[in-house]
Amino acid sequence: MSDLAKWENKTPSDIIAELNIKELPVDPFDIAARIGVVVKKDIDWEKMDADGEIYINESGKPEIWINPMMHPNRQNFTLAHEIGHLTRDLLPNIGEFKALQDNYSTLQRNGAKTYAETMANIFASKLLMPEDLIVKYGQEIVDEYKKEKNKDMPIEKFIPIIANKAHVSAEAMRYRLKKLGII
């Protein structure tokens, strides 16, 4: 647990900088492994209505379960969301922590039920779509399109391309681009 303690209250930017992540896509499974969190994707019929869960395992260590039946982009967002719970909710309150299970409604940006869920969604968005990498790759995509087509790229073409590069849904990317003031 002592190695994990250093990740308490770290921001997405802190994690990206400390792990020296400089390319899209940002892989939350790699991040979890590098910070020392076990991630399970086994089929657990009692949890199949959930997208993910973070809890303390029998050994007293944090563990994350991700629903393996979800689309890979949803799994990425869910895991990034759970890493947000790890840094903001679990590690600062390890003695009193109860398992957090996330489902469709808690992972929806517009339907978040609590402050903790809203913050975990924001954390996930910033972790998977860091501003500097979105701007860097976005500019490359736009420049290449303009060079080929000799015109500006329509936003409806741009969003799915940059979303695919980041391994997130087009909806998540649209939301992030709006929050960044890019669209």
Side-chain angles (χ1 to χ4, degrees):
M1 183 62 155
S2 60
D3 290 344
L4 267 175
K6 81 179 214 172
W7 301 103
E8 181 177 330
N9 291 317
K10 294 286 185 175
T11 67
S13 297
D14 295 337
I15 292 169
I16 288 167
E18 188 143 346
L19 297 178
N20 200 29
I21 297 169
K22 297 187 183 295
E23 303 288 328
L24 285 180
V26 174
D27 183 351
F29 289 91
D30 178 60
I31 290 171
R34 290 172 68 189
I35 67 175
V37 176
V38 172
V39 177
K40 293 189 172 184
K41 288 176 49 173
D42 55 323
I43 293 180
D44 184 335
W45 294 111
E46 293 179 15
K47 297 181 192 174
M48 294 312 280
D49 61 338
D51 287 12
E53 179 179 43
I54 186 164
Y55 53 90
I56 305 295
N57 68 17
E58 310 79 42
S59 303
K61 296 184 180 185
E63 196 165 278
I64 296 172
W65 175 81
I66 299 297
N67 188 332
M69 305 305 284
M70 297 293 171
H71 186 279
N73 289 348
R74 173 48 97 194
Q75 290 181 33
N76 286 341
F77 193 87
T78 299
L79 180 52
H81 175 101
E82 300 305 337
I83 292 169
H85 280 311
L86 173 76
T87 64
R88 293 183 46 83
D89 304 319
L90 189 150
L91 294 174
N93 303 295
I94 195 79
E96 308 105 44
F97 187 78
K98 306 277 189 261
L100 288 172
Q101 190 174 85
D102 290 302
N103 58 30
Y104 182 81
S105 70
T106 61
L107 287 162
Q108 296 303 304
R109 285 155 301 285
N110 295 335
K113 301 291 184 210
T114 67
Y115 178 76
E117 293 304 325
T118 299
M119 296 311 294
N121 283 337
I122 291 168
F123 183 98
S125 180
K126 290 179 177 182
L127 186 68
L128 296 176
M129 299 168 274
E131 182 175 6
D132 60 334
L133 295 180
I134 294 301
V135 169
K136 173 187 170 190
Y137 286 102
Q139 193 61 56
E140 289 175 8
I141 291 165
V142 167
D143 290 347
E144 183 64 29
Y145 183 90
K146 191 163 194 160
K147 184 177 167 186
E148 270 183 37
K149 307 279 188 193
N150 202 27
K151 62 181 181 179
D152 290 334
M153 180 178 231
I155 195 67
E156 294 311 316
K157 285 191 180 270
F158 174 73
I159 291 172
I161 293 169
I162 191 74
N164 187 51
K165 178 74 175 165
H167 293 186
V168 298
S169 70
E171 177 187 0
M173 182 58 71
R174 177 181 298 281
Y175 181 83
R176 180 71 172 135
L177 294 171
K178 284 181 180 179
K179 286 294 186 186
L180 291 172
I182 294 171
I183 62 169

